[in-house]
Amino acid sequence: MRIQTSEDLDSIRKRGLQKIQPGRPRIGVGTSSCGIAVGGIALYNRMHKIIQMKNLDISLVKTGCIGFCKEEPIVSVNIPGKALVLLRKVQEDDAERIISLALEGDVPSDLVLCKISDWDHITGNLVYGNGFDTIPEYGEIPFFAHQKKVILRDSGLINPEDIDEYIGIGGYSAAYQALTSMEPDTIIDEVKKSGLRGRGGAGFPAGLKWEITKKAPGEEKYIVCNADEGDPGAYMNRNEMESDPHMLLEGMLIGAFAMGVHEGLIYIRAEYPLAIERLMLALDQARTYGLLGKNIFNTGFDCDIRIATGAGAFVCGESTALAASIEGKTGRPRLRPPRLTEKGVFGKPTDLNNVETWCNVPVIIAKGALWYSSIGAKGNTGTKVFSLVGKVDNIGMVEVPLGTSLHSIIYDIGNGGAQGKEVKAVQTGGPSGGCIPVRLFDTPVDFESLNQVGTMMGSGGLVVMDEDTNMVDIARYFINFASGESCGKCVPCREGLKHMLLILNRIIAGKGTREDLDLLRELADTVQKTSLCGLGQTAPNPVLTTMQYFKEEYDALISSEA
Amino acid sequence: MSLFGSMNRMVTITINKNQYLAEEGEIFLLTAMRLNIDIPHLCYEKALEPYGACRLCMVDLVTCGKTTMTPACTIKVHNGLEILTDTPQIIKHRNLLFELYLAEAPKSEVIREMAAKYGVKKTRFLKKIVHEDPLLGKCILCGLCVRVCTEIMGTCAINFINRGPYTVINTPFFEQNPDCAGCAACAQVCPTKAIVFEDRDAERVMQSWSGTTVPLATCSSCKKSFAPEKLMHKVLDKLDPAIIEEIKSLCPECRRQHITRKVIRKVPKS
Ligand SMILES: Cc1cc2nc3c(=O)[nH]c(=O)nc-3n(C[C@H](O)[C@H](O)[C@H](O)COP(=O)(O)O)c2cc1C
Ligand code: SF4
Ligand code: SF4
Ligand code: FES
Ligand code: FES
């Protein structure tokens, strides 16, 4: 059926809620890539078989991820009228007893992580119920307590492969509101007022980019979603697409309407097969409901979104290389200007935004700019999703208001170093960022503060290092990565990074000299200042910051006779 | 202002604190060259779009008192443009780039002379070991050959292979490429004279391009080989068929004599 009126949307909404709270036990298995990696699919299949064979009155669904990667596979059990319970580190062999206990209205106590009595989906509120008095509430678990879930509000709770569930908790109502009762310019104004800045790394104001694209001359234009996520240690975008693909589509639909664009593209790396599969499914479902295609919500507005896959080159995340890659050319950056907003995909004006930038849009429209801008810090509004990885105790996907300190993320949420080790530093911004030492952990995580300490926000990877990590080795790791991913067009990046790597190898082998250190610093500076695109311009950051903050580790490696 | 024989508006620009008149919209690198202000450059060619890859032409662009390093080949002249070409910063970075080039193309005379001109005589970086390099250890990947082949000749016989520090230029799969017309425009445009080819009897062998071999046309008059056949076809396709019939098999020398003999009586010598 096609959704045309608010009544149509309401009736699907009711159906979706029925699916989330079906009046019989519902079991959800975390099957994002992280869950699958530790047996999520096998677990789901086992449960499915049992339920089928015995013809049990249980609803079994795949869910996205709730973010606590360390505890995956995570299973949610909802007994009608009772609090939803999250089970941790569930094994295939636990399937049988989880199911039989669920039928009795109970859960295996040894697997319990926490319970959720009610949940604020922001676009809707779900009350699950009480019971399970001895199980801690979600908000009492330190890993969750210090987070604020806006982008991840549905992750791990709804079935990402069923559009009804997304609509059930209020999905697509923001798009309905935008298309049927808002002027395109009002939408752009709202996004501008919200203060939303691009989540792809540079933090460019999203509303402003929309306005520039809208004002660019020409009829044919594109909006593009940058899902090329390729920095080591970053998987926020993958998770967002796997756990809640419709949030992205709804954001893009609203954006397309605001800018008067009829074609959207999602540029995604081929290494994300599950995200691609779920997006394809989501697109099909959205088209079936008429949420994409012709005459959406009977407003006369047409828009479709297609998927373009890339071969997973880090440099293809750079805007001009991305456009070239979509056009079927080699992904090599070109000179800017012209920017994409002027001359983008197929030479047409193009608005490029990161996955998470788009995901912010529905909630801005649903709750208003004022509500949105009350989250986070001045000039850095909203939340940001980070993947907290490396040598930290609680590994996972965390979402916090911008302006939260690194300390709070790494100690309050992450619980400090893994296996009781001392944390030494954290790398933000992947290969483009830098290493921040513990003594600067009071730094608030916002675009400007991170720049001030020599690193950058990047897309949101936080790689924690502990006392055992050699910082020179870390610098070498990132330079090796950047050098291998360089497109090879300009000399400072192509040759400069290569020689930085050679010098670092020499130093680590104990054959480095004082002159090597000076040359390394000099070269890092030139590569940063003279490279053509962002890859080369930022690639020396890991070296520059480790040389600044951990000079003694370099000195220790310099042979004494030199 | 016919000083430069141009039609464009002349505007005032400032280079290294001195004021000059310049043609609006012109690429600043060309303006500077004409004014004898020296800026080294390797990847710019007037007939092609600016590419901005060699980074040697970086200058300081001054806007509202703030400077940004920008390649001169990408700046268009406009009124009030202010540029610094020889600040200590520029010189420092440029010299280091020369050191990188000396290591990348250790066999290139052109690079050695150019670097020496700016006072860079040796490199602190490990020189590339040149071993069976079709471009003789001279290529600096400026991309001019590829761009000329693709954009001007419309042939696309060669391209970049691999990426990052492993980038090289050659024909697809390092095989002889039948698309190559043997025009040698690539060799003409190469700033470091890295591309080698040889005319043997009735063939031209593009040694740098995996030995791609193209037949040469033989002059029906003097019997010498003169130009690649395919190139002749390309050129002749654009001419008046009547003229073509008469001259198509003649080499440039015989053609000149033939035409001169024909027109000499018609055109009075001035
Ligand atoms: C080498 C390089 C890689 C990049 N990779 C990504 C990426 O994977 N995802 C992304 O959203 N932006 C990436 N960017 C930033 C994009 O060029 C662009 O700024 C961003 O997609 C704009 O979206 P936003 O305004 O929503 O942040 C990369 C930039 C560079 C220079
Ligand atoms: S900085 Fe690196 S990735 Fe960017 S254009 Fe230059 S060589 Fe290519
Ligand atoms: S062969 Fe010559 S023209 Fe071609 S990229 Fe190398 S240096 Fe440039
Ligand atoms: S728990 Fe799923 S991404 Fe981590
Ligand atoms: S001539 Fe300007 S970058 Fe090469």
Side-chain angles (χ1 to χ4, degrees):
Chain A
M1 83 165 255
R2 286 178 58 87
I3 299 174
Q4 287 181 321
T5 63
S6 70
E7 287 75 39
D8 297 346
L9 198 60
D10 260 352
S11 79
I12 308 270
R13 184 176 180 146
K14 287 198 186 93
R15 191 162 79 199
L17 278 174
Q18 272 286 308
K19 288 182 179 176
I20 300 174
Q21 297 183 327
R24 54 195 167 121
R26 163 165 149 136
I27 298 178
V29 183
T31 51
S32 284
S33 290
C34 57
I36 293 174
V38 283
I41 286 287
L43 176 63
Y44 175 89
N45 289 343
R46 174 80 75 93
M47 288 190 165
H48 186 74
K49 212 159 146 194
I50 297 171
I51 293 168
Q52 284 241 303
M53 251 168 40
K54 301 193 179 161
N55 199 15
L56 302 173
D57 192 25
I58 283 188
S59 144
L60 176 72
V61 292
K62 290 180 185 171
T63 61
C65 111
I66 195 105
F68 209 166
C69 303
K70 183 192 175 193
E71 305 287 6
E72 287 275 350
I74 291 178
V75 167
S76 62
V77 178
N78 180 214
I79 314 288
K82 283 192 175 177
L84 176 102
V85 179
L86 295 181
L87 307 176
R88 51 183 282 271
K89 291 200 166 156
V90 180
Q91 301 302 306
E92 228 185 301
D93 289 339
D94 297 321
E96 192 97 51
R97 60 187 181 116
I98 293 175
I99 290 172
S100 50
L101 279 173
L103 287 170
E104 293 165 22
D106 206 355
V107 291
S109 53
D110 55 320
L111 296 176
V112 161
L113 176 64
C114 64
K115 69 176 175 195
I116 296 173
S117 303
D118 55 78
W119 187 262
D120 186 5
H121 280 282
I122 304 182
T123 48
N125 199 40
L126 276 188
V127 178
Y128 286 103
N130 296 315
F132 300 118
D133 294 335
T134 55
I135 298 178
E137 264 293 344
Y138 169 89
E140 292 170 54
I141 306 291
F143 177 78
F144 294 126
H146 296 90
Q147 298 195 43
K148 177 160 183 70
K149 300 224 173 181
V150 175
I151 300 302
L152 301 179
R153 60 187 181 270
D154 308 331
S155 287
L157 297 171
I158 64 166
N159 176 358
E161 299 185 355
D162 189 345
I163 188 172
D164 289 358
E165 295 201 7
Y166 180 69
I167 295 176
I169 40 95
Y172 286 107
S173 54
Y176 182 82
Q177 183 192 340
L179 267 67
T180 58
S181 64
M182 288 174 82
E183 285 299 322
D185 285 338
T186 318
I187 299 173
I188 294 184
D189 267 350
E190 202 66 17
V191 175
K192 276 166 100 177
K193 270 190 257 163
S194 76
L196 173 64
R197 295 171 66 174
R199 298 298 194 238
F204 191 84
L208 185 59
K209 206 192 276 184
W210 287 19
E211 186 176 71
I212 296 170
T213 309
K214 180 165 191 171
K215 287 189 176 153
E219 276 303 301
E220 207 181 322
K221 296 178 191 177
Y222 291 93
I223 58 166
V224 178
C225 167
N226 190 342
D228 190 55
E229 188 173 58
D231 357 355
Y235 59 100
M236 304 75 50
N237 290 167
R238 183 191 75 203
N239 181 59
E240 285 149 11
M241 293 182 289
E242 286 178 357
S243 295
D244 205 2
H246 286 286
M247 192 182 288
L248 168 61
L249 301 189
E250 186 180 2
M252 290 182 76
L253 173 59
I254 296 170
F257 177 73
M259 286 177 261
V261 175
H262 307 287
E263 260 198 276
L265 293 167
I266 301 173
Y267 182 82
I268 182 170
R269 51 174 41 223
E271 285 89 337
Y272 280 180
L274 182 64
I276 294 175
E277 187 188 311
R278 290 199 173 146
L279 281 171
M280 298 274 227
L281 197 65
L283 286 170
D284 279 346
Q285 293 174 348
R287 285 188 198 113
T288 310
Y289 279 168
L291 300 171
L292 289 176
K294 295 249 176 276
N295 193 18
I296 299 165
F297 294 132
N298 218 3
T299 56
F301 179 70
D302 307 336
C303 173
D304 204 358
I305 297 173
R306 284 175 300 153
I307 289 179
T309 51
F314 177 61
V315 71
C316 286
E318 195 277 342
S319 58
T320 58
L322 182 143
S325 174
I326 288 180
E327 293 167 19
K329 300 182 192 145
T330 320
R332 298 182 116 215
R334 63 154 168 80
L335 290 166
R336 282 185 310 177
R339 301 193 170 274
L340 255 50
T341 44
E342 199 183 316
K343 200 160 181 271
V345 178
F346 300 113
K348 309 288 182 217
T350 300
D351 171 81
L352 174 70
N353 282 119
N354 170 259
V355 174
E356 198 176 315
T357 313
W358 290 116
C359 286
N360 272 285
V361 174
V363 81
I364 291 173
I365 298 304
K367 302 292 282 188
L370 205 61
W371 176 88
Y372 185 89
S373 58
S374 70
I375 304 169
K378 196 159 185 289
N380 281 273
T381 56
T383 58
K384 176 83 194 81
V385 180
F386 293 96
S387 49
L388 185 59
V389 297
K391 301 198 172 162
V392 61
D393 187 29
N394 287 336
I395 285 177
M397 198 88 296
V398 306
E399 182 173 4
V400 289
L402 281 171
T404 305
S405 72
L406 283 167
H407 189 278
S408 171
I409 298 175
I410 291 158
Y411 291 99
D412 298 340
I413 299 173
N415 195 32
Q419 282 140 18
K421 292 264 167 80
E422 282 285 322
V423 170
K424 179 153 94 181
V426 65
Q427 169 90 11
T428 78
S432 319
C435 285
I436 309 172
V438 167
R439 65 186 156 86
L440 293 179
F441 274 14
D442 284 339
T443 309
V445 178
D446 63 52
F447 290 99
E448 286 72 25
S449 303
L450 288 177
N451 284 349
Q452 264 165 27
V453 295
T455 174
M456 58 184 274
M457 178 82 77
S459 48
L462 292 178
V463 185
V464 177
M465 336 264 170
D466 72 11
E467 47 188 303
D468 296 340
T469 319
N470 182 300
M471 300 311 282
V472 185
D473 205 35
I474 289 292
R476 171 172 70 171
Y477 170 81
F478 282 113
I479 294 297
N480 185 32
F481 175 84
S483 175
E485 294 292 329
S486 157
C487 82
K489 180 167 177 173
C490 69
V491 77
C493 175
R494 176 183 73 236
E495 295 300 312
L497 291 177
K498 180 181 87 183
H499 288 293
M500 283 177 74
L501 183 60
L502 290 173
I503 297 171
L504 282 164
N505 280 340
R506 209 149 65 215
I507 293 174
I508 288 172
K511 296 190 183 124
T513 60
R514 291 263 143 229
E515 288 73 48
D516 279 332
L517 281 188
D518 295 340
L519 185 57
L520 182 62
R521 191 177 291 116
E522 210 182 308
L523 184 53
D525 184 41
T526 295
V527 173
Q528 191 181 50
K529 304 279 166 40
T530 62
S531 286
L532 174 87
C533 87
L535 193 153
Q537 287 160 6
T538 57
N541 288 347
V543 168
L544 289 168
T545 50
T546 49
M547 284 185 107
Q548 180 181 354
Y549 299 126
F550 301 94
K551 187 170 174 297
E552 65 286 355
E553 296 197 26
Y554 283 86
D555 289 340
L557 284 164
I558 297 297
S559 41
S560 45
E561 67 267 31
Chain B
M1 279 286 178
S2 60
L3 184 58
F4 302 129
S6 83
M7 309 282 287
N8 281 350
R9 194 159 78 98
M10 298 305 283
V11 294
T12 313
I13 63 173
T14 313
I15 311 173
N16 300 333
K17 312 272 183 215
N18 299 321
Q19 297 210 328
Y20 300 91
L21 278 180
E23 190 184 319
E24 188 173 43
E26 194 188 35
I27 297 285
F28 173 73
L29 179 63
L30 295 174
T31 313
M33 280 160 71
R34 208 174 8 232
L35 294 169
N36 280 325
I37 294 165
D38 186 55
I39 301 173
H41 56 95
L42 281 168
C43 72
Y44 182 73
E45 161 61 49
K46 212 173 158 181
L48 298 163
E49 286 289 303
Y51 188 64
C54 78
R55 315 309 281 174
L56 277 178
C57 71
M58 300 276 272
V59 294
D60 266 333
L61 175 67
V62 189
T63 24
C64 312
K66 268 195 2 201
T67 59
T68 16
M69 276 179 72
T70 315
C73 62
T74 66
I75 301 171
K76 288 214 174 105
V77 167
H78 59 82
N79 200 20
L81 178 69
E82 190 181 345
I83 301 282
L84 298 168
T85 67
D86 55 3
T87 62
Q89 282 296 312
I90 295 284
I91 293 170
K92 184 181 96 175
H93 292 304
R94 194 161 73 192
N95 287 355
L96 202 67
L97 292 183
F98 273 126
E99 286 194 58
L100 288 174
Y101 279 122
L102 286 172
E104 182 180 32
K107 303 284 180 200
S108 170
E109 272 300 319
V110 178
I111 294 292
R112 219 172 310 151
E113 277 167 24
M114 198 177 195
K117 186 176 148 201
Y118 294 89
V120 182
K121 300 227 166 61
K122 59 180 190 359
T123 177
R124 287 169 287 171
F125 303 115
L126 281 177
K127 287 188 188 169
K128 197 181 262 174
I129 299 162
V130 180
H131 176 66
E132 296 190 359
D133 179 3
L135 293 166
L136 314 173
K138 295 182 179 178
C139 174
I140 48 102
L141 293 165
C142 70
L144 277 170
C145 52
V146 175
R147 289 180 285 146
V148 159
C149 183
T150 310
E151 292 169 34
I152 308 266
M153 304 309 295
T155 312
C156 212
I158 46 171
N159 216 325
F160 297 96
I161 300 171
N162 304 328
R163 71 177 184 211
Y166 305 104
T167 313
V168 291
I169 292 179
N170 217 304
T171 52
F173 309 108
F174 299 94
E175 286 168 2
Q176 288 206 28
N177 189 348
D179 289 344
C180 174
C183 68
C186 49
Q188 276 287 327
V189 79
C190 177
T192 61
K193 307 199 173 20
I195 302 165
V196 276
F197 67 96
E198 194 184 25
D199 289 347
R200 302 180 187 143
D201 305 329
E203 282 176 345
R204 170 167 293 177
V205 185
M206 303 300 299
Q207 284 139 323
S208 292
W209 306 144
S210 312
T212 295
T213 304
V214 299
L216 292 176
T218 312
C219 177
S220 57
S221 169
C222 71
K223 306 290 181 243
K224 277 192 224 144
S225 320
F226 59 100
E229 272 178 6
K230 255 190 260 174
L231 184 65
M232 287 296 293
H233 292 312
K234 267 195 181 178
V235 176
L236 294 176
D237 279 351
K238 295 187 179 136
L239 291 179
D240 180 347
I243 307 177
I244 295 173
E245 259 327 295
E246 265 184 62
I247 60 161
K248 73 172 177 196
S249 61
L250 300 178
C251 73
E253 180 53 32
C254 297
R255 190 184 309 151
R256 204 167 45 81
Q257 291 180 8
H258 172 85
I259 295 179
T260 315
R261 258 181 254 121
K262 261 185 77 166
V263 297
I264 202 150
R265 278 162 306 220
K266 293 185 199 157
V267 187
K269 233 174 158 187
S270 57

